[in-house]
Amino acid sequence: MLPPTNNRVPPNAAVVGLQWGDEGKGKIVDLLTARYDCIVRYNGGANAGHTVQVGTERYALHLIPSGILSKGKINIVGNGVVVDPEKLLDEVDGLRKRGVAVGDNLRISDRAHVVMPYHKEQDAALEELLEQKSGKVGAGQIGTTRRGIGPAYSDKVRRSTALRMGDLLNHSLLLRKLETICGLRMAELEALGANVTPLVPQELADRFAAAGERLRPHITDTVYLLHDELRAGRHVLFEGANACLLDIDHGTFPYVTSSNCSTLGIPAGSGVPGRMIGKVYGIMKAYSTRVGGGPFITELLDPTGDLIRKRGREYGTTTGRPRRCGWLDLVAVKYSVMVCGADAIACTLLDVLSGFDELKICVGYRRADGTITDRFVPDAERMEGFTPIYETLPGWQRELTDCTDRDDLPREAQSYLAFVERFVGIPVELVSVGPERTQTFESTARFASMS
Ligand code: GDP
Ligand code: IMO
Ligand code: MG
């Protein structure tokens, strides 16, 4: 376990995924929560699935920050998040049923946009249309989580068809807005070829105003709340959802999500200026995974990939889909470190790599024309035909799940982390060797100096 304070850590920090999601951000946020007062989600929605394991209890959080499992913390769903109110209420009820207190420790921005049922229908209908157009099952789509994320952010940008959490607290306003939205939305759904059940403004207004009433005690202006807390000397931890390579601007477009999930989304998604964040933890799993479509240069479509999936239990927290697995791509990680301004790496799932004779790490790409690059290309079309250039490192056989210190790691595992540090240029400060809170240790010295 981490000691509750560490004098080297600046007051406000961020946790962000350096790959394509599911790096173990929830676990690391839960662990770091001991050092912070407020935990803030600034992007994404219920497309995220953050797992926290405490003893034998496993929690899957989708909209609520991972700090909720620690007592005495304020958990904030910022204005940059898109909130499915009914899903959020299910999450609240599920936590309460398991004895987790959810009251004024949960605050939701009145400016966070609402994910409505028709957004989920639009999401699914567009994916199905893309599949039909491609003429191949499972092809042509982005492979979204179908949680309505893209359509909800589209409405935010379109403005006139958007709903915000604050609107749920005013029934007549909500009804008026839905009267404009519903007719237009049905026409759009029909154009996508969806089987449209009529959208009745009154029914939707009643249903979502009821959800709003239940959420009323939590809904507030979180920008002022955060700044009041900061002025009072409280420390804030930002919890990124999704990951840098899924960022709408900096990820593998168009196979990305619809928000700025790198640290660049923090100021816009929370109202806190970027310069107030003193430390960025980039979370990197020791290999690569991806769910859904899009470029994945180091993907292993072979028994090695299957073994990683089995050992890492690589099935989606949100959709249950098997995750695509492959070797660690340090070109991609180094790019994310650059874009996110990461100061340190938390390397997770290192235990999954036990038992391999050798391990490969991608250090460059060969383009289709044979030329070589060490730069990431955040564009799916332009990555077409890229193949990985690997360094091969010796593996280790011993299970790592009981390691509590860097000196407990086999020499080969230390060398693996030293390689990461040298290539990426920042230290590996946290190492995770199992899903449980206690299966983590902090390394105060660099691994690179040890080999
Ligand atoms: P997130 O979306 O980044 O929070 O990650 P997910 O929760 O979707 O996926 C990470 C999975 O790995 C979860 O099932 C975690 O319980 C698990 N996990 C996290 N860290 C470790 C680790 O160091 N070793 C192992 N074996 N599992 C881990
Ligand atoms: P966490 O926070 C993994 C992926 C989807 C899909 C693409 C777009 O748990 O790491 P969307 O539903 O957002 O429109 O889907 O982005 N995706 C994730 N993959 N982990 C996530 O979140 C993800 N959030 C979105 O699989 O490829
Ligand atoms: Mg996840």
Side-chain angles (χ1 to χ4, degrees), residues 292-327:
F296 185 178
I297 311 296
T298 62
E299 182 168 16
L300 292 165
L301 297 165
D302 63 7
T304 306
D306 295 340
L307 187 57
I308 293 177
R309 184 175 306 107
K310 189 161 163 242
R311 282 189 57 86
R313 296 198 184 94
E314 293 292 357
Y315 295 88
T317 313
T318 298
T319 58
R321 290 179 289 179
R323 296 177 182 145
R324 299 157 67 191
C325 296
W327 295 122

Side-chain angles (χ1 to χ4, degrees), residues 35-324:
R35 295 178 180 166
Y36 297 89
D37 304 297
C38 305
I39 321 308
V40 184
R41 276 277 306 269
Y42 59 90
N43 79 294
N47 53 353
H50 293 183
T51 315
V52 178
Q53 197 171 315
V54 187
T56 52
E57 288 292 307
R58 209 160 176 268
Y59 301 89
L61 298 159
H62 300 282
L63 282 159
I64 298 181
S66 303
I68 199 76
L69 301 170
S70 303
K71 286 199 175 77
K73 309 291 172 179
I74 303 181
N75 293 276
I76 297 176
V77 176
N79 59 277
V81 176
V82 284
V83 179
D84 178 338
E86 293 180 337
K87 194 111 184 87
L88 177 60
L89 283 166
D90 283 350
E91 214 169 314
V92 169
D93 292 340
L95 285 169
R96 285 187 181 146
K97 233 182 248 155
R98 295 174 74 179
V100 179
V102 186
D104 60 7
N105 58 344
L106 176 65
R107 309 293 179 85
I108 302 151
S109 168
D110 52 3
R111 286 168 11 215
H113 282 248
V114 181
V115 177
M116 294 291 285
Y118 48 73
H119 289 133
K120 290 182 262 188
E121 283 179 39
Q122 276 178 290
D123 198 353
L126 184 57
E127 287 283 276
E128 271 148 36
L129 184 77
L130 290 171
E131 187 181 42
Q132 276 167 28
K133 292 256 183 230
S134 81
K136 256 173 58 194
V137 178
Q141 311 162 317
I142 288 175
T144 74
T145 58
R146 302 190 177 202
R147 295 296 184 268
I149 306 298
Y153 278 117
S154 302
D155 272 351
K156 174 177 176 174
V157 177
R158 188 154 73 167
R159 298 153 295 165
S160 43
T161 47
L163 294 173
R164 309 206 287 187
M165 290 304 285
D167 298 336
L168 304 187
L169 306 181
N170 181 338
H171 189 285
S172 56
L173 172 75
L174 182 61
L175 180 59
R176 206 166 63 240
K177 289 196 173 190
L178 281 165
E179 274 163 354
T180 313
I181 296 167
C182 285
L184 184 66
R185 195 48 34 100
M186 270 162 53
E188 286 170 352
L189 279 163
E190 260 156 24
L192 283 171
N195 272 336
V196 195
T197 36
L199 298 174
V200 184
Q202 185 73 51
E203 276 174 16
L204 280 176
D206 292 350
R207 180 172 152 192
F208 282 86
E213 279 315 310
R214 281 200 59 201
L215 291 169
R216 186 184 285 277
H218 307 279
I219 298 175
T220 188
D221 182 333
T222 55
V223 175
Y224 269 111
L225 169 67
L226 262 168
H227 281 274
D228 288 343
E229 291 295 317
L230 285 163
R231 258 197 309 278
R234 257 138 353 231
H235 300 170
V236 177
L237 180 65
F238 294 92
E239 174 175 2
N242 329 127
C244 185
L245 302 177
L246 292 170
D247 184 287
I248 183 79
D249 286 292
H250 303 288
T252 46
F253 195 87
Y255 297 94
V256 291
T257 187
S258 303
S259 68
N260 284 117
C261 29
S262 64
T263 46
L264 303 174
I266 296 176
S270 69
V272 175
R275 67 180 158 76
M276 296 184 84
I277 300 156
K279 175 138 186 164
V280 175
Y281 291 92
I283 318 303
M284 178 197 86
K285 65 170 80 174
Y287 47 93
S288 307
T289 61
R290 172 158 211 172
V291 218
F296 185 178
I297 311 296
T298 62
E299 182 168 16
L300 292 165
L301 297 165
D302 63 7
T304 306
D306 295 340
L307 187 57
I308 293 177
R309 184 175 306 107
K310 189 161 163 242
R311 282 189 57 86
R313 296 198 184 94
E314 293 292 357
Y315 295 88
T317 313
T318 298
T319 58
R321 290 179 289 179
R323 296 177 182 145
R324 299 157 67 191

Side-chain angles (χ1 to χ4, degrees), residues 22-26 49-51 58 317 323 349 351 432-435:
D22 307 324
E23 296 91 350
K25 298 175 292 293
H50 293 183
T51 315
R58 209 160 176 268
T317 313
R323 296 177 182 145
L349 293 118
D351 53 300
S432 171
V433 291

Side-chain angles (χ1 to χ4, degrees), residues 339-355:
V339 169
C340 291
D343 303 287
I345 286 180
C347 177
T348 54
L349 293 118
L350 188 63
D351 53 300
V352 174
L353 293 185
S354 292

